[in-house]
């Protein structure tokens, strides 16, 4: 065992006999107390001895002694040193030293072995084909054909051709011949430049319908007598820029023309220019839209023109969670059947804010606009129009809206909105009951100032490419100023659409369309006195189902079932729809 020695005074104390430091400290305190006691003891003995000696000398008598000596003390003179002190510097001064490096190359014998560049393995591009042919045949003698020809992948150009035909020779019960024919052709091309894209289109449409909404028990007419044909010819050219520099002005310029004619000496020519310019000013983006429309309307007994100019500048700003665009719209309407040109101004404000991670995004805004009611827009909505059309443009003086949208998950999104609009000259379709007419199977257009309250919503669910579900609907509330009812404007509409993809082998599609009740203006008689009054029409439910089987990449087969409920419903008064019908066909890639 190792022994540590501690020195205290003249004693050496060994720490080996103590168990720990605490016991050692206690022993040290005891030793110090013993030393103090001994010191006090000697002090007391000395004091007692001094007192005793003093008391003992108090009785001694005084005696005097004298001596003589021959010693004479002397002091020697000091010897002084005359040397002055010197400071001797022991540091040696070193002269300036110059350093130099002599470079001598060292030749290595290491050979660098080149390393092959890493290669990224991407998914191979799917093979493209030049053409696609789709043909089918359905009940009511309904042939169908569609054909596409497209270019393959290129960096400079893209082009293609598309043709479609769908017709029917149906003859429905208690009404006239209801056959129709829809034909369309399209030639398009794109040229890609470094900063621009040039697009050209040539569209052609030919749609044939028959005014079959009459009572065959009273009238026997040939097909040609009720035949109507709309023929559209439309070339379009468009230039769009792709500047990445924010200081430049990006632009989109579209110039188009269309000619639309029918079999009753009605025609419409339209020259249209649409432009949009945008650039950045600081952090905000400025948009300026300018549109110019020239319409030439020709009726069997009249001709008139219409020029519409629109200007819409607005700013767009956004932050991390919000987006706002604010501006103003202006329109000039120079209709030749008006007494003077009309100017319109509209506010524009749209704002939205992301409350929580794109799940809840409220938005609101206010806007307006001028809508052209042309032969093309009206006949696309209702093809059973009278040749004697009354044209007016609808002016939405103000439209206030607000809603909520967002993503409930990575697969589900929603959008719900309500709006209130004030519209001057909103269009409505009613049967043209003329004094000399007996068929009453053509529609005319009425206009009235209207207030519209609308609520619409949409929910979408998509699971990759396997399942796609969409549910959307609208509720409408019309308040007309002069008309008794908002004719042929349904109260609501609902759409349910679903697509199921089973391993890209079997594709199932389903749709359900629901249209609510609506009013029509009908003619009644009382003792051969005829008058018109509103008539409530039933709602419409139309369910469709389609199945496609893909035999290979080049060949597939399909079958479509339409109006599965086999109901005879009316979208337009006097014009019933076809009942249950189906179509089967195939899709083939020829080359």
């Amino acid at each position: 065992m190792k022994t540590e020695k501690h020195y205290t005074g003249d004693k050496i104390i060994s720490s080996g006999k103590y168990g720990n430091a605490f016991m050692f400290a206690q022993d040290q305190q005891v030793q110090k107390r013993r030393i103090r006691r001994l010191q006090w003891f000697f002090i007391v003995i000395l004091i007692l001895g001094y007192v005793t000696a003093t008391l003992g000398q108090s009785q001694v008598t005084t005696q005097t002694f004298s001596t003589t000596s021959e010693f004479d003390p002397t002091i020697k003179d000091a010897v002084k040193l005359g040397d002055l002190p010197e400071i001797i510097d022991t540091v040696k001064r070193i002269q300036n030293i110059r350093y130099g490096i002599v470079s001598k190359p060292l030749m290595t014998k290491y050979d660098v072995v080149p390393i092959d560049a890493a290669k990224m393995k991407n998914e191979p591009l799917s093979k493209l084909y030049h053409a696609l042919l789709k043909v089918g045949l359905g009940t009511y003698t309904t042939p169908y054909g569609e054909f596409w020809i497209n270019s393959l992948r290129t960096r400079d150009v893209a082009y293609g051709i598309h043709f479609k035909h769908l017709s029917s020779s149906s003859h429905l019960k208690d009404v006239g011949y209801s056959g129709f024919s829809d034909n369309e052709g399209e030639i398009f091309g794109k040229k890609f430049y470094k900063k621009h894209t040039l697009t050209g289109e040539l569209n052609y449409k030919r749609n044939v319908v028959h005014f079959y909404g009459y009572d065959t028990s009273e009238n026997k007419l040939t097909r040609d007598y009720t035949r109507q044909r709309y023929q559209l010819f439309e070339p379009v050219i468009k230039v769009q820029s792709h500047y990445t520099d924010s200081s430049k002005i990006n632009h989109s310029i579209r110039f188009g023309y269309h000619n639309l004619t029918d079999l009753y000496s009605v025609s419409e020519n339209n020259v249209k220019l649409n432009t949009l310019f945008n650039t950045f000013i600081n952090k905000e983006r400025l948009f300026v839209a300018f549109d110019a429309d020239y319409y030439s309307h020709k009726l069997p007994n009249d001709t008139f023109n219409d020029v519409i100019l629109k200007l819409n500048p607005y700013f767009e700003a956004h932050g991390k969670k919000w987006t706002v665009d604010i501006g103003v719209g202006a329109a000039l309407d120079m209709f030749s059947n008006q007494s003077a040109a009309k100017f319109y101004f509209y506010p524009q404000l749209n704002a939205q804010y992301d409350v929580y991670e794109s799940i809840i995004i409220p938005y609101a805004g206010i806007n307006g606009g001028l809508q052209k009611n042309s032969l093309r827009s009206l006949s696309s909505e209702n093809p059973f129009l009278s040749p004697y059309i009354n044209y007016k443009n609808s002016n939405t003086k103000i439209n206030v809206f607000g809603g909520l949208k967002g993503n409930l998950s990575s697969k589900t999104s929603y959008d719900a909105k309500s709006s209130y609009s004030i519209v001057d000259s909103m269009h409505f379709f009613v049967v043209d009951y003329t004094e000399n007419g007996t068929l009453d199977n053509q529609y005319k257009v009425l206009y009235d100032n209207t207030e519209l309250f609308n609520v619409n919503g949409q929910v979408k669910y998509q699971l990759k490419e396997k399942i796609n579900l969409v549910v959307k609907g609208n509720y409408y509330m019309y308040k007309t100023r002069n008309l008794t009812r908002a004719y042929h404007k349904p109260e609501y509409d609902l759409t349910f659409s679903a697509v199921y993809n089973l391993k890209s082998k079997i594709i199932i599609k389903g749709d359900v369309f629901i249209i609510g009740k609506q009013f029509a203006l009908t003619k009644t008689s009382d003792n051969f006195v005829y008058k018109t009054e509103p008539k409530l029409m039933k709602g419409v439910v139309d369910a469709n189902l389609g199945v496609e089987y893909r035999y290979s990449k080049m060949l597939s087969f399909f079958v479509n079932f339409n109006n599965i409920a086999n109901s005879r419903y009316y979208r337009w008064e006097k014009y019933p729809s076809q009942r249950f019908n189906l179509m089967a066909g195939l899709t083939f890639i020829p080359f």
Side-chain angles (χ1 to χ4, degrees):
M1 177 178 178
K2 186 178 179 180
T3 302
E4 296 182 3
K5 295 183 179 181
H6 301 270
Y7 298 88
T8 303
D10 297 332
K11 296 183 178 180
I12 297 176
I13 301 174
S14 175
S15 64
K17 65 179 181 178
Y18 299 103
N20 51 47
F22 177 73
M23 295 176 62
F24 175 75
Q26 285 184 338
D27 185 73
Q28 291 289 87
Q29 293 294 333
V30 172
Q31 294 292 341
K32 289 180 180 180
R33 285 196 295 268
R34 290 177 180 176
I35 292 171
R36 289 195 199 100
R37 290 173 184 173
L38 290 175
Q39 289 175 347
W40 281 107
F41 176 75
F42 286 119
I43 291 171
V44 172
I45 295 299
L46 290 175
I47 293 172
L48 292 177
Y50 175 77
V51 172
T52 305
T54 303
L55 292 177
Q57 292 178 2
S58 61
Q59 295 178 0
V60 177
T61 58
T62 302
Q63 293 181 359
T64 303
F65 299 90
S66 62
T67 61
T68 59
S69 176
E70 294 180 354
F71 176 73
D72 185 13
T74 59
I75 299 175
K76 292 182 178 182
D77 293 334
V79 178
K80 297 180 180 181
L81 298 177
D83 296 333
L84 296 176
E86 291 183 6
I87 298 175
I88 300 175
D89 189 0
T90 59
V91 178
K92 295 182 179 180
R93 181 174 295 178
I94 302 176
Q95 300 296 328
N96 293 334
I97 300 176
R98 296 180 180 180
Y99 297 93
I101 300 176
V102 179
S103 299
K104 184 178 181 181
L106 177 64
M107 304 302 295
T108 61
K109 296 181 180 181
Y110 176 74
D111 295 330
V112 178
V113 179
I115 301 175
D116 295 335
K119 296 180 179 180
M120 300 295 293
K121 292 184 178 180
N122 296 329
E123 294 183 2
L125 295 175
S126 58
K127 184 178 179 180
L128 298 181
Y129 299 91
H130 281 285
L132 176 66
L133 176 65
K134 192 173 184 180
V135 295
L137 182 64
T139 55
Y140 294 102
T141 316
T142 306
Y144 162 72
E146 202 160 2
F147 184 59
W148 293 267
I149 297 179
N150 297 281
S151 61
L152 300 181
R153 293 186 183 94
T154 61
R155 294 180 178 272
D156 299 328
V157 295
Y159 55 86
I161 302 175
H162 173 227
F163 298 102
K164 180 182 179 181
H165 170 81
L166 176 65
S167 62
S168 176
S169 301
S170 62
H171 198 146
L172 304 180
K173 184 179 179 181
D174 299 330
V175 293
Y177 177 72
S178 58
F180 66 90
S181 176
D182 293 334
N183 302 274
E184 62 181 78
E186 178 186 9
I187 302 175
F188 61 90
K190 286 186 178 182
K191 174 65 175 178
F192 302 103
Y193 297 95
K194 186 176 182 180
K195 299 295 183 180
H196 291 81
T197 299
L198 177 63
T199 304
E201 298 178 10
L202 180 60
N203 301 317
Y204 174 79
K205 291 185 179 181
R206 185 178 183 274
N207 305 106
V208 177
V209 296
H210 290 80
F211 296 107
Y212 66 92
Y214 63 92
D215 190 353
T216 56
S217 63
E218 298 181 358
N219 299 279
K220 302 295 183 181
L221 304 174
T222 63
R223 299 179 181 181
D224 293 338
Y225 188 82
T226 60
R227 186 169 180 263
Q228 171 64 297
R229 183 216 65 213
Y230 297 100
Q231 184 170 256
L232 174 71
F233 176 77
E234 182 185 27
V236 176
I237 188 170
K238 180 181 178 181
V239 177
Q240 185 173 2
S241 66
H242 307 287
Y243 294 125
T244 57
D245 187 352
S246 61
S247 64
K248 292 184 176 294
I249 299 177
N250 272 303
H251 49 271
S252 174
I253 302 174
R254 181 184 185 274
F255 181 79
Y257 164 80
H258 80 249
N259 171 262
L260 178 62
T261 61
D262 73 351
L263 293 179
Y264 293 85
S265 300
V266 177
S267 66
E268 177 179 272
N269 291 279
N270 170 232
V271 180
K272 192 169 189 176
L273 174 66
N274 303 105
T275 63
L276 178 63
F277 304 89
N278 69 87
T279 187
F280 281 92
I281 299 179
N282 295 329
K283 294 183 179 181
E284 287 73 33
R285 198 171 186 180
L286 173 64
F287 291 83
V288 178
F290 175 76
D291 299 334
D293 277 294
Y294 169 76
Y295 285 89
S296 175
H297 300 279
K298 181 181 178 182
L299 299 180
N301 57 358
D302 195 8
T303 301
F304 50 89
N305 303 321
D306 187 14
V307 177
I308 300 176
L309 302 177
K310 296 180 181 179
L311 181 64
N312 177 212
Y314 62 95
F315 277 98
E316 181 184 89
H318 60 86
K320 186 176 181 180
K321 290 190 173 184
W322 58 271
T323 301
V324 174
D325 65 80
I326 182 171
V328 64
L332 172 62
D333 187 10
M334 295 179 287
F335 216 148
S336 61
N337 61 0
Q338 297 174 165
S339 59
K342 295 183 178 180
F343 294 89
Y344 304 99
F345 294 94
Y346 312 98
Q348 177 177 331
L349 175 63
N350 297 283
Q352 70 176 34
Y353 182 78
D354 187 356
V355 176
Y356 181 71
E357 296 182 353
S358 298
I359 297 176
I360 302 175
I361 304 176
Y363 62 93
I366 181 172
N367 54 32
L370 183 68
Q371 175 188 350
K372 173 64 181 178
N373 294 314
S374 63
L375 176 63
R376 183 176 185 178
S377 64
L378 296 174
S379 62
S380 298
E381 185 177 356
N382 184 352
F384 309 111
L385 290 179
S386 167
Y388 303 93
I389 303 175
N390 180 25
Y391 290 101
K392 283 186 179 180
N393 296 331
S394 299
N395 175 34
T396 303
K397 299 167 65 175
I398 190 170
N399 176 42
V400 182
F401 63 90
L404 200 65
K405 64 181 179 180
N407 299 314
L408 299 177
S409 67
S410 60
K411 306 177 185 64
T412 308
S413 61
Y414 70 95
D415 187 0
K417 182 177 72 172
S418 62
S419 64
Y420 171 77
S421 305
I422 300 177
V423 184
D424 287 348
S425 300
M426 179 179 286
H427 72 277
F428 302 92
F429 296 103
V430 296
V431 175
D432 187 9
Y433 297 103
T434 60
E435 295 182 0
N436 299 324
T438 57
L439 297 177
D440 298 333
N441 61 344
Q442 296 179 359
Y443 276 80
K444 65 180 180 180
V445 185
L446 299 180
Y447 301 91
D448 195 9
N449 297 342
T450 308
E451 297 179 27
L452 171 61
F453 176 72
N454 171 236
V455 177
N456 65 73
Q458 175 177 309
V459 177
K460 181 178 180 180
Y461 175 84
Q462 184 169 0
L463 179 60
K464 298 181 180 180
E465 296 183 357
K466 186 175 183 180
I467 300 176
N468 190 348
L469 301 174
V470 178
V471 180
K472 57 183 178 181
N474 289 275
Y475 171 76
Y476 306 95
M477 183 182 295
Y478 296 91
K479 184 180 179 181
T480 55
R481 178 180 297 179
N482 299 314
L483 296 178
T484 305
R485 301 289 183 180
Y487 297 113
H488 283 290
K489 300 290 186 181
E491 296 179 349
Y492 62 87
D493 60 70
L494 293 172
T495 302
F496 301 88
S497 300
V499 178
Y500 178 71
N501 187 336
L502 182 59
K503 297 182 179 180
S504 296
K505 198 70 175 178
I506 299 177
I507 313 297
I508 302 175
K509 300 179 181 180
D511 299 290
V512 178
F513 305 97
I514 302 175
I515 300 177
K517 297 178 181 180
Q518 56 184 333
F519 282 91
L521 184 65
T522 189
K523 183 170 68 173
T524 61
S525 63
D526 185 11
N527 295 327
F528 299 100
V529 177
Y530 295 93
K531 63 178 181 179
T532 58
E533 61 182 17
K535 172 188 175 182
L536 182 62
M537 299 175 60
K538 295 181 180 180
V540 174
V541 178
D542 191 352
N544 307 316
L545 179 65
V547 180
E548 179 184 0
Y549 171 68
R550 295 178 177 175
Y551 179 77
S552 66
K553 292 183 179 181
M554 308 288 288
L555 178 65
S556 65
F557 303 91
F558 69 90
V559 58
N560 296 329
F561 305 91
N562 301 317
N563 196 0
I564 297 176
N566 195 31
S567 61
R568 181 184 172 98
Y569 60 81
Y570 292 79
R571 175 61 183 92
W572 306 105
E573 187 190 13
K574 296 179 175 288
Y575 287 89
S577 67
Q578 294 181 353
R579 292 182 181 271
F580 171 77
N581 60 89
L582 66 87
M583 176 179 289
L586 59 87
T587 302
F588 176 66
I589 299 177
F591 56 89

